[in-house]
Amino acid sequence: MLSPHQCRRAPRRNVLRPVEDRFTCPAGRVLQRKKAMNRDRLVFYAARPDDCAACSLKSRCTSASRRYVSRHIDEDALAKMNERATPDMMRIRRSTVEHPFGTIKRMMSNGRFLTRNLKGTKTEMALSVLAYNIMRAISIKANHAEL
């Protein structure tokens, strides 16, 4: 099953019509929404077998009886996220986000939990985050008092 962005053999890519919730294949035929798989977060679209049987592009488009396309439910949000994830943005994120996790890991004996069940582990992690936040607040308060 090819996604709309992996159509290698067709002359044009499939075109999504978001308002109508369907795709248009490279030959201009409509691919209707068939089913959604919530577990995998995918939506499947398929052309009618009659449309593909009479299509001149079928040999370059699909080897199945009809064209199928899958699309991730959150594909628009993922595309926006990938656009914003520039190397500079990721460098800033790494420097601001990874420091607290490294400090918490060091405070927790290199990231090892003392408890063995999920409830205890959640509690232990919450206490570690609380301790980190208190230490950070004290550090910020001390730095502002010096100024």
Side-chain angles (χ1 to χ4, degrees):
M1 182 129 352
L2 294 175
S3 78
H5 303 294
Q6 296 172 329
C7 183
R8 296 178 199 98
R9 296 178 284 180
R12 286 192 337 245
R13 290 186 177 165
N14 299 295
V15 178
L16 175 66
R17 297 183 193 170
V19 175
E20 301 161 4
D21 194 23
R22 56 186 180 182
F23 276 93
T24 303
C25 78
R29 306 288 198 285
V30 174
L31 281 74
Q32 295 288 343
R33 181 179 177 151
K34 290 298 177 187
K35 70 176 181 177
M37 294 179 58
N38 289 330
R39 187 187 66 171
D40 296 330
R41 306 211 34 89
L42 290 174
V43 179
F44 291 99
Y45 299 85
R48 293 185 338 186
D50 305 346
D51 290 343
C52 289
C55 183
S56 62
L57 299 176
K58 183 178 189 271
S59 62
R60 297 188 329 202
C61 190
T62 183
S63 58
S65 63
R66 59 184 171 164
R67 180 142 181 102
Y68 292 96
V69 174
S70 65
R71 183 173 191 273
H72 196 276
I73 290 173
D74 301 318
E75 191 165 321
D76 296 333
L78 293 170
K80 286 180 185 177
M81 182 181 68
N82 285 335
E83 286 175 13
R84 289 192 328 236
T86 62
D88 292 334
M89 180 66 86
M90 296 310 292
R91 193 174 304 110
I92 292 168
R93 179 176 177 170
R94 253 193 321 271
S95 66
T96 57
V97 172
E98 289 187 13
H99 180 264
F101 285 109
T103 304
I104 291 170
K105 187 175 179 180
R106 189 187 72 235
M107 289 173 16
M108 293 178 58
S109 304
N110 287 327
R112 296 187 185 265
F113 291 101
L114 299 175
T115 55
R116 294 290 171 232
N117 59 17
L118 185 59
K119 183 179 177 186
T121 304
K122 284 181 179 180
T123 304
E124 188 176 348
M125 187 64 196
L127 289 171
S128 296
V129 170
L130 178 65
Y132 174 81
N133 287 337
I134 291 171
M135 287 174 35
R136 185 80 178 117
I138 292 170
S139 174
I140 290 170
K141 185 80 168 168
N143 287 340
H144 284 315
E146 292 175 4
L147 297 176

